[in-house]
Amino acid sequence: MTDTERFDRAAPTWDHEDRRVALAQAVAEAISARVPLSRGLSTLDFGCGTGLVTLALAPKVGAITGADTSPGMLKTLAEKAQALGIPVRLRPLDPAGTGDLGGPYQLIVSSMTLHHIPDVPALFHRFAGQLQPGGHIALADLDQEDGSFHEDLTGVHHHGFSRDQIQAWLEAAGFLQIHLETAQVSRKNGKDYPVFLATARKA
Ligand SMILES: C[S@@+](CC[C@H](N)C(=O)[O-])C[C@H]1O[C@@H](n2cnc3c(N)ncnc32)[C@H](O)[C@@H]1O
């Protein structure tokens, strides 16, 4: 089964796991505390999944777009957004996740998706190209872990990241005002997995 098929299958029950909902909530709160959000900010959630972060941020930002490679995830997000009466633009991506992200945006967020991306430095350059000058980025993912976080390693390209590495890749992509903090410590199978939030601005 491909990574996309796995996420398609998981989509209808993705939100049933309390740990995921709590993590997304914590990430959305950390973003709200660190980035000056306003109703005018055009926003992209890259790897939005079922929209746990997208829908939490939607009332605090302007037009919000959810981009994802999984049609199943986007379908679940569309159903949730419609039920809640929250407008969300959907951007289906090809299986490689390449293609136009629909920018420029003033804010790009992403939660728990970077570890599924083979070439993260290239993605950071792509994000920079999709942001307006002065635009914000807010990216959450696992700190470096021992490979035990995922039971199925299909499509997992990184066992988390060192914060120094994330900082260096953001600098190389031209981002300024880089800040890394702990958004939450996610507990899974009796083990703690810290999740960082990296924020920065485009020059
Ligand atoms: C672990 S889930 C996180 C979903 C959501 N952000 C959340 O916090 O619940 C990772 C998401 O990234 C998507 N994804 C995987 N590879 C991708 C790629 N190359 N480009 C964009 N999205 C991708 C998956 O379909 C999935 O929805």
Side-chain angles (χ1 to χ4, degrees), residues 4-5 7-12 14 49-50 68-79:
T4 303
E5 287 166 347
F7 281 115
D8 282 345
R9 278 201 193 184
W14 185 262
T50 62
D68 205 287
T69 46
S70 160
M73 287 287 193
L74 289 176
K75 180 169 175 280
T76 301
L77 168 54
E79 289 164 359

Side-chain angles (χ1 to χ4, degrees), residues 3-4 6-8 14-15 20-21 23-24 27 45-54 67-71 73-74 93-98 101 110-118 123 126 141 149-150 155 157:
D3 199 25
T4 303
R6 196 168 64 79
F7 281 115
D8 282 345
W14 185 262
D15 295 1
R20 288 185 183 135
V21 177
L23 174 57
V27 167
D45 183 0
F46 179 82
C48 58
T50 62
L52 290 172
V53 172
T54 326
D68 205 287
T69 46
S70 160
M73 287 287 193
L74 289 176
L93 300 175
D94 60 77
T98 54
L101 292 175
S110 184
S111 185
M112 298 298 281
T113 298
L114 295 184
H115 61 261
H116 293 290
I117 307 298
L123 180 68
R126 200 161 148 230
D141 211 303
F149 184 82
H150 295 90
H157 295 280

Side-chain angles (χ1 to χ4, degrees), residues 60-96:
K60 302 176 180 178
V61 297
I64 189 159
T65 301
D68 205 287
T69 46
S70 160
M73 287 287 193
L74 289 176
K75 180 169 175 280
T76 301
L77 168 54
E79 289 164 359
K80 287 167 61 181
Q82 191 179 24
L84 293 165
I86 296 176
V88 176
R89 299 174 185 181
L90 302 180
R91 194 141 200 113
L93 300 175
D94 60 77

Side-chain angles (χ1 to χ4, degrees), residues 78-166:
E79 289 164 359
K80 287 167 61 181
Q82 191 179 24
L84 293 165
I86 296 176
V88 176
R89 299 174 185 181
L90 302 180
R91 194 141 200 113
L93 300 175
D94 60 77
T98 54
D100 185 15
L101 292 175
Y105 298 96
Q106 288 160 307
L107 170 65
I108 297 178
V109 305
S110 184
S111 185
M112 298 298 281
T113 298
L114 295 184
H115 61 261
H116 293 290
I117 307 298
D119 190 345
V120 176
L123 180 68
F124 287 178
H125 277 97
R126 200 161 148 230
F127 283 164
Q130 292 287 318
L131 272 177
Q132 289 181 7
H136 293 263
I137 201 163
L139 309 171
D141 211 303
L142 295 162
D143 278 325
Q144 204 134 51
E145 46 102 11
D146 60 5
S148 61
F149 184 82
H150 295 90
E151 284 100 41
D152 180 353
L153 290 170
T154 314
V156 174
H157 295 280
H158 310 270
H159 298 319
F161 301 91
S162 89
R163 295 186 189 192
D164 287 348
Q165 183 67 87
I166 292 289

